[in-house]
Amino acid sequence: MKQRHATATASALFALLPLSLLLFRLLVLLVRLRLAAFRDAALSLHFLARLRIRPVHLRLPGTDATTVRVWCPAAPSAKPPLLLLHGFGGDSKWTWARNLPALSRHFHVYAPDLLFFGAHSRSASPLRTVAFQARCAAEAMRLLGVDRYDVVGISYGGFVAYRLAAVEGRDRVPRVVVMTSGVAATPGEMREMAAREERAVEESLLPETADGLRRLVRRSMHRPPPWMPDFVLDDFIKLMCVVQRKERAELLHELLKNGAGIDPLPVLTQKTLILWGDKDQVFPLDLGHRLQRHLGDVSRLEIIKDAGHALQLEGADQVNRFIKSFLLDSWNGPEVGSGPALEPC
């Protein structure tokens, strides 16, 4: 009797085993498929609860229904205002995740999602130029009541920062930080760099597959993560690379065609810090030296060793120190250079 009962119990357990394994597998898949979304939510919570930075959605003046999301301080302070402009690798939250905690201790930080990045910064305008991005970023700062601020831009954001500084002038934007950005490359050189790619440039910079994103990470970082499973990469693509992909591809093609959209490239009158990784495989270090020569005495170039294009991640501590030292040491110092701003475009 007992033996038959034990046999029946064992049979029942074996019958339940496949169901248990299936439920476990579904749970694992659920967790895996939402890791990037979990990270995104955790960043938002960290910004809100610890850094006291909140998202604000601004409707810009005009008829093209342009809305920009800006992460900005929840309360006023006496800290100097600082505008951070991200590149193609993600929105402002993901780009500056390792910089905002340090920088927000010393600066009143504003970090917009540039137009067509993420789900919140949108426009019905057909314009895809660097000039349009710069104008929208400047207009957002005006709506927030910030009349004078320094600006930091990385990669694509460096193009936007340079254009914004040139148009707004030294009275509104007294200091500029350009990070690993090909501003000094001619449009022809930009097109040559794109032509050397093994695949279409939008496939390289706007990946749709885990393999494509893995290649991009390895190219952007000198020390990429050793473990990049497909389920994490796929989730990041769903989160960051699907919405408004067409519009971002148009931004990319416009950048390759016209660069910063100013020919010849103006010499900024603002003090300018140029930061570059010595292992950058996207924009070679030579472009950093060229930009420094172009700007002359108002600029200086700092090279961060063993860092690639994703400089704000791989060299975060050094980047934060350079930005803090450059901006705070010169905050009350004399201005360098003179000359009018460009006409707004």
mmCIF file of all heavy atoms in Angstrom, residues 197-240:
data_model
loop_
_atom_site.group_PDB
_atom_site.id
_atom_site.type_symbol
_atom_site.label_atom_id
_atom_site.label_comp_id
_atom_site.label_asym_id
_atom_site.label_seq_id
_atom_site.Cartn_x
_atom_site.Cartn_y
_atom_site.Cartn_z
ATOM 1 N N GLU A 197 32.879 52.002 -44.241
ATOM 2 C CA GLU A 197 32.143 51.015 -43.454
ATOM 3 C C GLU A 197 31.789 49.805 -44.318
ATOM 4 O O GLU A 197 31.564 49.929 -45.519
ATOM 5 C CB GLU A 197 30.864 51.634 -42.882
ATOM 6 C CG GLU A 197 31.096 52.786 -41.941
ATOM 7 C CD GLU A 197 31.722 52.352 -40.634
ATOM 8 O OE1 GLU A 197 31.417 51.226 -40.173
ATOM 9 O OE2 GLU A 197 32.521 53.120 -40.076
ATOM 10 N N GLU A 198 31.729 48.643 -43.689
ATOM 11 C CA GLU A 198 31.380 47.420 -44.408
ATOM 12 C C GLU A 198 29.883 47.327 -44.696
ATOM 13 O O GLU A 198 29.451 46.506 -45.483
ATOM 14 C CB GLU A 198 31.824 46.198 -43.608
ATOM 15 C CG GLU A 198 33.342 46.110 -43.417
ATOM 16 C CD GLU A 198 33.745 44.909 -42.577
ATOM 17 O OE1 GLU A 198 32.834 44.219 -42.072
ATOM 18 O OE2 GLU A 198 34.954 44.673 -42.429
ATOM 19 N N ARG A 199 29.092 48.164 -44.034
ATOM 20 C CA ARG A 199 27.630 48.129 -44.206
ATOM 21 C C ARG A 199 27.107 49.556 -44.200
ATOM 22 O O ARG A 199 27.858 50.495 -43.932
ATOM 23 C CB ARG A 199 26.982 47.310 -43.076
ATOM 24 C CG ARG A 199 27.438 47.754 -41.689
ATOM 25 C CD ARG A 199 26.956 46.835 -40.598
ATOM 26 N NE ARG A 199 27.347 45.465 -40.844
ATOM 27 C CZ ARG A 199 28.549 44.989 -40.519
ATOM 28 N NH1 ARG A 199 29.465 45.772 -39.991
ATOM 29 N NH2 ARG A 199 28.843 43.733 -40.733
ATOM 30 N N ALA A 200 25.836 49.720 -44.518
ATOM 31 C CA ALA A 200 25.235 51.047 -44.512
ATOM 32 C C ALA A 200 25.416 51.694 -43.148
ATOM 33 O O ALA A 200 25.333 51.033 -42.107
ATOM 34 C CB ALA A 200 23.753 50.952 -44.868
ATOM 35 N N VAL A 201 25.661 53.004 -43.150
ATOM 36 C CA VAL A 201 26.013 53.673 -41.906
ATOM 37 C C VAL A 201 24.890 53.588 -40.872
ATOM 38 O O VAL A 201 25.145 53.479 -39.673
ATOM 39 C CB VAL A 201 26.414 55.138 -42.183
ATOM 40 C CG1 VAL A 201 25.216 55.962 -42.659
ATOM 41 C CG2 VAL A 201 27.056 55.768 -40.971
ATOM 42 N N GLU A 202 23.614 53.609 -41.332
ATOM 43 C CA GLU A 202 22.530 53.492 -40.361
ATOM 44 C C GLU A 202 22.491 52.105 -39.716
ATOM 45 O O GLU A 202 22.062 51.951 -38.572
ATOM 46 C CB GLU A 202 21.171 53.843 -40.977
ATOM 47 C CG GLU A 202 20.729 52.949 -42.109
ATOM 48 C CD GLU A 202 21.110 53.542 -43.453
ATOM 49 O OE1 GLU A 202 22.101 54.283 -43.519
ATOM 50 O OE2 GLU A 202 20.402 53.237 -44.432
ATOM 51 N N GLU A 203 22.955 51.081 -40.433
ATOM 52 C CA GLU A 203 23.035 49.750 -39.838
ATOM 53 C C GLU A 203 24.110 49.703 -38.767
ATOM 54 O O GLU A 203 23.993 48.964 -37.785
ATOM 55 C CB GLU A 203 23.327 48.710 -40.917
ATOM 56 C CG GLU A 203 22.208 48.494 -41.916
ATOM 57 C CD GLU A 203 22.565 47.452 -42.959
ATOM 58 O OE1 GLU A 203 23.463 46.631 -42.693
ATOM 59 O OE2 GLU A 203 21.962 47.471 -44.045
ATOM 60 N N SER A 204 25.170 50.487 -38.955
ATOM 61 C CA SER A 204 26.262 50.503 -37.982
ATOM 62 C C SER A 204 25.896 51.288 -36.731
ATOM 63 O O SER A 204 26.185 50.854 -35.610
ATOM 64 C CB SER A 204 27.521 51.108 -38.617
ATOM 65 O OG SER A 204 27.972 50.329 -39.699
ATOM 66 N N LEU A 205 25.264 52.458 -36.901
ATOM 67 C CA LEU A 205 24.997 53.347 -35.774
ATOM 68 C C LEU A 205 23.576 53.237 -35.240
ATOM 69 O O LEU A 205 23.293 53.736 -34.150
ATOM 70 C CB LEU A 205 25.282 54.794 -36.180
ATOM 71 C CG LEU A 205 26.749 55.115 -36.501
ATOM 72 C CD1 LEU A 205 26.915 56.576 -36.853
ATOM 73 C CD2 LEU A 205 27.666 54.742 -35.344
ATOM 74 N N LEU A 206 22.676 52.612 -36.002
ATOM 75 C CA LEU A 206 21.304 52.394 -35.555
ATOM 76 C C LEU A 206 20.973 50.909 -35.706
ATOM 77 O O LEU A 206 20.138 50.514 -36.522
ATOM 78 C CB LEU A 206 20.325 53.243 -36.364
ATOM 79 C CG LEU A 206 20.529 54.761 -36.301
ATOM 80 C CD1 LEU A 206 19.647 55.454 -37.329
ATOM 81 C CD2 LEU A 206 20.244 55.293 -34.901
ATOM 82 N N PRO A 207 21.627 50.044 -34.942
ATOM 83 C CA PRO A 207 21.503 48.603 -35.153
ATOM 84 C C PRO A 207 20.093 48.093 -34.863
ATOM 85 O O PRO A 207 19.389 48.607 -34.008
ATOM 86 C CB PRO A 207 22.518 48.020 -34.164
ATOM 87 C CG PRO A 207 22.674 49.055 -33.103
ATOM 88 C CD PRO A 207 22.517 50.380 -33.810
ATOM 89 N N GLU A 208 19.735 47.054 -35.608
ATOM 90 C CA GLU A 208 18.429 46.421 -35.425
ATOM 91 C C GLU A 208 18.556 44.993 -34.900
ATOM 92 O O GLU A 208 17.541 44.344 -34.639
ATOM 93 C CB GLU A 208 17.663 46.411 -36.755
ATOM 94 C CG GLU A 208 17.318 47.792 -37.275
ATOM 95 C CD GLU A 208 16.517 47.747 -38.562
ATOM 96 O OE1 GLU A 208 17.110 47.495 -39.628
ATOM 97 O OE2 GLU A 208 15.283 47.944 -38.480
ATOM 98 N N THR A 209 19.775 44.498 -34.767
ATOM 99 C CA THR A 209 19.996 43.132 -34.287
ATOM 100 C C THR A 209 21.007 43.153 -33.143
ATOM 101 O O THR A 209 21.784 44.106 -32.989
ATOM 102 C CB THR A 209 20.543 42.226 -35.405
ATOM 103 O OG1 THR A 209 21.854 42.688 -35.787
ATOM 104 C CG2 THR A 209 19.618 42.248 -36.625
ATOM 105 N N ALA A 210 20.993 42.068 -32.370
ATOM 106 C CA ALA A 210 21.947 41.955 -31.258
ATOM 107 C C ALA A 210 23.381 41.967 -31.765
ATOM 108 O O ALA A 210 24.259 42.604 -31.173
ATOM 109 C CB ALA A 210 21.668 40.678 -30.463
ATOM 110 N N ASP A 211 23.642 41.265 -32.878
ATOM 111 C CA ASP A 211 24.997 41.266 -33.439
ATOM 112 C C ASP A 211 25.420 42.670 -33.854
ATOM 113 O O ASP A 211 26.576 43.072 -33.642
ATOM 114 C CB ASP A 211 25.076 40.319 -34.643
ATOM 115 C CG ASP A 211 25.131 38.855 -34.236
ATOM 116 O OD1 ASP A 211 25.482 38.595 -33.067
ATOM 117 O OD2 ASP A 211 24.832 37.989 -35.076
ATOM 118 N N GLY A 212 24.503 43.419 -34.452
ATOM 119 C CA GLY A 212 24.821 44.781 -34.862
ATOM 120 C C GLY A 212 25.138 45.682 -33.683
ATOM 121 O O GLY A 212 26.095 46.473 -33.721
ATOM 122 N N LEU A 213 24.359 45.562 -32.607
ATOM 123 C CA LEU A 213 24.609 46.372 -31.415
ATOM 124 C C LEU A 213 25.906 45.944 -30.739
ATOM 125 O O LEU A 213 26.665 46.785 -30.247
ATOM 126 C CB LEU A 213 23.431 46.254 -30.444
ATOM 127 C CG LEU A 213 23.541 47.071 -29.153
ATOM 128 C CD1 LEU A 213 23.800 48.537 -29.451
ATOM 129 C CD2 LEU A 213 22.275 46.905 -28.314
ATOM 130 N N ARG A 214 26.173 44.648 -30.751
ATOM 131 C CA ARG A 214 27.426 44.160 -30.157
ATOM 132 C C ARG A 214 28.635 44.739 -30.895
ATOM 133 O O ARG A 214 29.623 45.162 -30.273
ATOM 134 C CB ARG A 214 27.446 42.629 -30.186
ATOM 135 C CG ARG A 214 28.582 42.000 -29.390
ATOM 136 C CD ARG A 214 28.501 40.485 -29.415
ATOM 137 N NE ARG A 214 27.356 39.988 -28.659
ATOM 138 C CZ ARG A 214 26.280 39.422 -29.201
ATOM 139 N NH1 ARG A 214 26.178 39.280 -30.530
ATOM 140 N NH2 ARG A 214 25.290 38.994 -28.439
ATOM 141 N N ARG A 215 28.556 44.778 -32.226
ATOM 142 C CA ARG A 215 29.648 45.379 -33.007
ATOM 143 C C ARG A 215 29.815 46.856 -32.665
ATOM 144 O O ARG A 215 30.940 47.359 -32.546
ATOM 145 C CB ARG A 215 29.375 45.213 -34.504
ATOM 146 C CG ARG A 215 29.683 43.839 -35.061
ATOM 147 C CD ARG A 215 29.672 43.847 -36.582
ATOM 148 N NE ARG A 215 28.363 44.212 -37.116
ATOM 149 C CZ ARG A 215 27.418 43.336 -37.420
ATOM 150 N NH1 ARG A 215 27.633 42.039 -37.241
ATOM 151 N NH2 ARG A 215 26.254 43.743 -37.909
ATOM 152 N N LEU A 216 28.703 47.565 -32.515
ATOM 153 C CA LEU A 216 28.763 48.985 -32.208
ATOM 154 C C LEU A 216 29.394 49.222 -30.835
ATOM 155 O O LEU A 216 30.227 50.128 -30.674
ATOM 156 C CB LEU A 216 27.358 49.592 -32.248
ATOM 157 C CG LEU A 216 27.257 51.079 -31.894
ATOM 158 C CD1 LEU A 216 28.097 51.927 -32.843
ATOM 159 C CD2 LEU A 216 25.796 51.533 -31.906
ATOM 160 N N VAL A 217 29.007 48.432 -29.849
ATOM 161 C CA VAL A 217 29.582 48.576 -28.509
ATOM 162 C C VAL A 217 31.081 48.313 -28.544
ATOM 163 O O VAL A 217 31.875 49.063 -27.950
ATOM 164 C CB VAL A 217 28.881 47.626 -27.512
ATOM 165 C CG1 VAL A 217 29.610 47.619 -26.168
ATOM 166 C CG2 VAL A 217 27.422 48.044 -27.320
ATOM 167 N N ARG A 218 31.493 47.267 -29.247
ATOM 168 C CA ARG A 218 32.917 46.937 -29.307
ATOM 169 C C ARG A 218 33.709 48.002 -30.049
ATOM 170 O O ARG A 218 34.884 48.220 -29.751
ATOM 171 C CB ARG A 218 33.092 45.570 -29.966
ATOM 172 C CG ARG A 218 32.681 44.420 -29.049
ATOM 173 C CD ARG A 218 32.671 43.088 -29.759
ATOM 174 N NE ARG A 218 32.352 42.007 -28.820
ATOM 175 C CZ ARG A 218 31.990 40.783 -29.194
ATOM 176 N NH1 ARG A 218 31.883 40.493 -30.496
ATOM 177 N NH2 ARG A 218 31.719 39.866 -28.286
ATOM 178 N N ARG A 219 33.080 48.656 -31.012
ATOM 179 C CA ARG A 219 33.774 49.722 -31.718
ATOM 180 C C ARG A 219 33.817 51.002 -30.884
ATOM 181 O O ARG A 219 34.754 51.783 -30.971
ATOM 182 C CB ARG A 219 33.085 50.001 -33.053
ATOM 183 C CG ARG A 219 33.823 51.030 -33.883
ATOM 184 C CD ARG A 219 33.264 51.159 -35.260
ATOM 185 N NE ARG A 219 34.000 52.117 -36.044
ATOM 186 C CZ ARG A 219 33.710 52.447 -37.283
ATOM 187 N NH1 ARG A 219 32.689 51.865 -37.885
ATOM 188 N NH2 ARG A 219 34.423 53.343 -37.923
ATOM 189 N N SER A 220 32.792 51.235 -30.098
ATOM 190 C CA SER A 220 32.697 52.477 -29.333
ATOM 191 C C SER A 220 33.524 52.450 -28.060
ATOM 192 O O SER A 220 33.859 53.512 -27.517
ATOM 193 C CB SER A 220 31.236 52.769 -28.968
ATOM 194 O OG SER A 220 30.446 52.909 -30.138
ATOM 195 N N MET A 221 33.848 51.249 -27.571
ATOM 196 C CA MET A 221 34.548 51.132 -26.292
ATOM 197 C C MET A 221 35.877 50.406 -26.475
ATOM 198 O O MET A 221 35.952 49.404 -27.198
ATOM 199 C CB MET A 221 33.677 50.396 -25.270
ATOM 200 C CG MET A 221 32.321 51.050 -25.027
ATOM 201 S SD MET A 221 31.351 50.217 -23.733
ATOM 202 C CE MET A 221 32.230 50.787 -22.257
ATOM 203 N N HIS A 222 36.891 50.904 -25.809
ATOM 204 C CA HIS A 222 38.189 50.227 -25.811
ATOM 205 C C HIS A 222 38.136 48.983 -24.944
ATOM 206 O O HIS A 222 38.799 47.982 -25.238
ATOM 207 C CB HIS A 222 39.271 51.180 -25.298
ATOM 208 C CG HIS A 222 40.619 50.558 -25.188
ATOM 209 N ND1 HIS A 222 41.256 49.953 -26.256
ATOM 210 C CD2 HIS A 222 41.468 50.424 -24.119
ATOM 211 C CE1 HIS A 222 42.436 49.485 -25.863
ATOM 212 N NE2 HIS A 222 42.577 49.755 -24.583
ATOM 213 N N ARG A 223 37.336 49.038 -23.890
ATOM 214 C CA ARG A 223 37.165 47.891 -22.988
ATOM 215 C C ARG A 223 35.676 47.547 -22.902
ATOM 216 O O ARG A 223 35.011 47.864 -21.903
ATOM 217 C CB ARG A 223 37.720 48.209 -21.601
ATOM 218 C CG ARG A 223 39.188 48.561 -21.571
ATOM 219 C CD ARG A 223 39.684 48.844 -20.153
ATOM 220 N NE ARG A 223 38.908 49.897 -19.517
ATOM 221 C CZ ARG A 223 39.136 51.188 -19.672
ATOM 222 N NH1 ARG A 223 40.120 51.593 -20.452
ATOM 223 N NH2 ARG A 223 38.389 52.086 -19.060
ATOM 224 N N PRO A 224 35.123 46.911 -23.929
ATOM 225 C CA PRO A 224 33.684 46.600 -23.904
ATOM 226 C C PRO A 224 33.369 45.537 -22.863
ATOM 227 O O PRO A 224 34.264 44.784 -22.432
ATOM 228 C CB PRO A 224 33.428 46.070 -25.320
ATOM 229 C CG PRO A 224 34.741 45.509 -25.758
ATOM 230 C CD PRO A 224 35.787 46.397 -25.138
ATOM 231 N N PRO A 225 32.127 45.456 -22.427
ATOM 232 C CA PRO A 225 31.757 44.406 -21.471
ATOM 233 C C PRO A 225 32.073 43.028 -22.052
ATOM 234 O O PRO A 225 31.805 42.773 -23.232
ATOM 235 C CB PRO A 225 30.243 44.596 -21.309
ATOM 236 C CG PRO A 225 29.984 46.005 -21.721
ATOM 237 C CD PRO A 225 30.987 46.325 -22.775
ATOM 238 N N PRO A 226 32.648 42.134 -21.250
ATOM 239 C CA PRO A 226 32.988 40.811 -21.776
ATOM 240 C C PRO A 226 31.773 39.939 -22.051
ATOM 241 O O PRO A 226 31.844 39.004 -22.846
ATOM 242 C CB PRO A 226 33.849 40.210 -20.656
ATOM 243 C CG PRO A 226 33.421 40.925 -19.413
ATOM 244 C CD PRO A 226 33.054 42.306 -19.844
ATOM 245 N N TRP A 227 30.651 40.261 -21.413
ATOM 246 C CA TRP A 227 29.442 39.440 -21.546
ATOM 247 C C TRP A 227 28.311 40.323 -22.050
ATOM 248 O O TRP A 227 27.842 41.214 -21.359
ATOM 249 C CB TRP A 227 29.075 38.818 -20.209
ATOM 250 C CG TRP A 227 27.972 37.805 -20.280
ATOM 251 C CD1 TRP A 227 27.962 36.623 -20.960
ATOM 252 C CD2 TRP A 227 26.697 37.878 -19.616
ATOM 253 N NE1 TRP A 227 26.769 35.960 -20.774
ATOM 254 C CE2 TRP A 227 25.976 36.696 -19.952
ATOM 255 C CE3 TRP A 227 26.100 38.814 -18.769
ATOM 256 C CZ2 TRP A 227 24.691 36.449 -19.467
ATOM 257 C CZ3 TRP A 227 24.824 38.562 -18.292
ATOM 258 C CH2 TRP A 227 24.135 37.382 -18.641
ATOM 259 N N MET A 228 27.910 40.097 -23.293
ATOM 260 C CA MET A 228 26.810 40.862 -23.887
ATOM 261 C C MET A 228 25.823 39.885 -24.518
ATOM 262 O O MET A 228 25.817 39.682 -25.736
ATOM 263 C CB MET A 228 27.340 41.845 -24.925
ATOM 264 C CG MET A 228 28.150 42.990 -24.355
ATOM 265 S SD MET A 228 28.648 44.198 -25.629
ATOM 266 C CE MET A 228 29.968 43.305 -26.439
ATOM 267 N N PRO A 229 24.970 39.253 -23.719
ATOM 268 C CA PRO A 229 24.032 38.258 -24.255
ATOM 269 C C PRO A 229 22.979 38.896 -25.154
ATOM 270 O O PRO A 229 22.623 40.071 -24.996
ATOM 271 C CB PRO A 229 23.399 37.658 -22.999
ATOM 272 C CG PRO A 229 23.547 38.710 -21.955
ATOM 273 C CD PRO A 229 24.836 39.415 -22.261
ATOM 274 N N ASP A 230 22.486 38.104 -26.086
ATOM 275 C CA ASP A 230 21.517 38.613 -27.055
ATOM 276 C C ASP A 230 20.273 39.193 -26.390
ATOM 277 O O ASP A 230 19.747 40.221 -26.842
ATOM 278 C CB ASP A 230 21.101 37.491 -28.016
ATOM 279 C CG ASP A 230 22.172 37.194 -29.057
ATOM 280 O OD1 ASP A 230 23.249 37.823 -28.999
ATOM 281 O OD2 ASP A 230 21.921 36.335 -29.928
ATOM 282 N N PHE A 231 19.788 38.551 -25.307
ATOM 283 C CA PHE A 231 18.518 39.000 -24.743
ATOM 284 C C PHE A 231 18.639 40.412 -24.164
ATOM 285 O O PHE A 231 17.687 41.192 -24.211
ATOM 286 C CB PHE A 231 17.980 38.007 -23.696
ATOM 287 C CG PHE A 231 18.827 37.860 -22.455
ATOM 288 C CD1 PHE A 231 18.716 38.756 -21.399
ATOM 289 C CD2 PHE A 231 19.717 36.802 -22.337
ATOM 290 C CE1 PHE A 231 19.467 38.605 -20.258
ATOM 291 C CE2 PHE A 231 20.473 36.639 -21.199
ATOM 292 C CZ PHE A 231 20.353 37.539 -20.146
ATOM 293 N N VAL A 232 19.808 40.760 -23.624
ATOM 294 C CA VAL A 232 20.011 42.113 -23.104
ATOM 295 C C VAL A 232 20.088 43.114 -24.258
ATOM 296 O O VAL A 232 19.474 44.177 -24.226
ATOM 297 C CB VAL A 232 21.278 42.173 -22.240
ATOM 298 C CG1 VAL A 232 21.572 43.610 -21.825
ATOM 299 C CG2 VAL A 232 21.129 41.298 -21.002
ATOM 300 N N LEU A 233 20.857 42.767 -25.288
ATOM 301 C CA LEU A 233 21.010 43.658 -26.430
ATOM 302 C C LEU A 233 19.693 43.856 -27.169
ATOM 303 O O LEU A 233 19.355 44.967 -27.579
ATOM 304 C CB LEU A 233 22.078 43.101 -27.376
ATOM 305 C CG LEU A 233 23.485 42.950 -26.768
ATOM 306 C CD1 LEU A 233 24.430 42.318 -27.773
ATOM 307 C CD2 LEU A 233 24.026 44.291 -26.300
ATOM 308 N N ASP A 234 18.943 42.757 -27.339
ATOM 309 C CA ASP A 234 17.638 42.862 -28.000
ATOM 310 C C ASP A 234 16.695 43.777 -27.227
ATOM 311 O O ASP A 234 15.948 44.568 -27.822
ATOM 312 C CB ASP A 234 17.003 41.477 -28.153
ATOM 313 C CG ASP A 234 17.666 40.645 -29.249
ATOM 314 O OD1 ASP A 234 18.249 41.243 -30.168
ATOM 315 O OD2 ASP A 234 17.600 39.408 -29.175
ATOM 316 N N ASP A 235 16.736 43.664 -25.904
ATOM 317 C CA ASP A 235 15.863 44.513 -25.092
ATOM 318 C C ASP A 235 16.265 45.976 -25.203
ATOM 319 O O ASP A 235 15.406 46.865 -25.287
ATOM 320 C CB ASP A 235 15.920 44.057 -23.639
ATOM 321 C CG ASP A 235 14.846 44.715 -22.787
ATOM 322 O OD1 ASP A 235 13.763 45.012 -23.323
ATOM 323 O OD2 ASP A 235 15.086 44.945 -21.595
ATOM 324 N N PHE A 236 17.571 46.252 -25.244
ATOM 325 C CA PHE A 236 18.026 47.627 -25.409
ATOM 326 C C PHE A 236 17.578 48.183 -26.762
ATOM 327 O O PHE A 236 17.158 49.346 -26.862
ATOM 328 C CB PHE A 236 19.542 47.710 -25.293
ATOM 329 C CG PHE A 236 20.080 49.121 -25.398
ATOM 330 C CD1 PHE A 236 20.140 49.933 -24.279
ATOM 331 C CD2 PHE A 236 20.506 49.630 -26.612
ATOM 332 C CE1 PHE A 236 20.616 51.242 -24.367
ATOM 333 C CE2 PHE A 236 20.988 50.928 -26.714
ATOM 334 C CZ PHE A 236 21.042 51.734 -25.583
ATOM 335 N N ILE A 237 17.654 47.365 -27.806
ATOM 336 C CA ILE A 237 17.215 47.803 -29.137
ATOM 337 C C ILE A 237 15.733 48.163 -29.116
ATOM 338 O O ILE A 237 15.319 49.196 -29.651
ATOM 339 C CB ILE A 237 17.510 46.707 -30.180
ATOM 340 C CG1 ILE A 237 19.023 46.588 -30.422
ATOM 341 C CG2 ILE A 237 16.790 46.995 -31.501
ATOM 342 C CD1 ILE A 237 19.422 45.385 -31.222
ATOM 343 N N LYS A 238 14.921 47.319 -28.472
ATOM 344 C CA LYS A 238 13.488 47.615 -28.384
ATOM 345 C C LYS A 238 13.232 48.909 -27.627
ATOM 346 O O LYS A 238 12.336 49.687 -27.968
ATOM 347 C CB LYS A 238 12.753 46.464 -27.684
ATOM 348 C CG LYS A 238 12.722 45.167 -28.480
ATOM 349 C CD LYS A 238 12.106 44.051 -27.652
ATOM 350 C CE LYS A 238 12.185 42.714 -28.378
ATOM 351 N NZ LYS A 238 11.696 41.601 -27.536
ATOM 352 N N LEU A 239 14.045 49.138 -26.602
ATOM 353 C CA LEU A 239 13.854 50.303 -25.756
ATOM 354 C C LEU A 239 14.338 51.591 -26.417
ATOM 355 O O LEU A 239 13.711 52.645 -26.316
ATOM 356 C CB LEU A 239 14.597 50.094 -24.428
ATOM 357 C CG LEU A 239 14.492 51.206 -23.382
ATOM 358 C CD1 LEU A 239 13.088 51.239 -22.795
ATOM 359 C CD2 LEU A 239 15.527 50.997 -22.284
ATOM 360 N N MET A 240 15.477 51.519 -27.129
ATOM 361 C CA MET A 240 16.179 52.737 -27.533
ATOM 362 C C MET A 240 16.301 52.936 -29.044
ATOM 363 O O MET A 240 16.570 54.044 -29.495
ATOM 364 C CB MET A 240 17.580 52.718 -26.906
ATOM 365 C CG MET A 240 18.213 54.078 -26.724
ATOM 366 S SD MET A 240 17.320 55.136 -25.561
ATOM 367 C CE MET A 240 17.422 54.158 -24.062
#
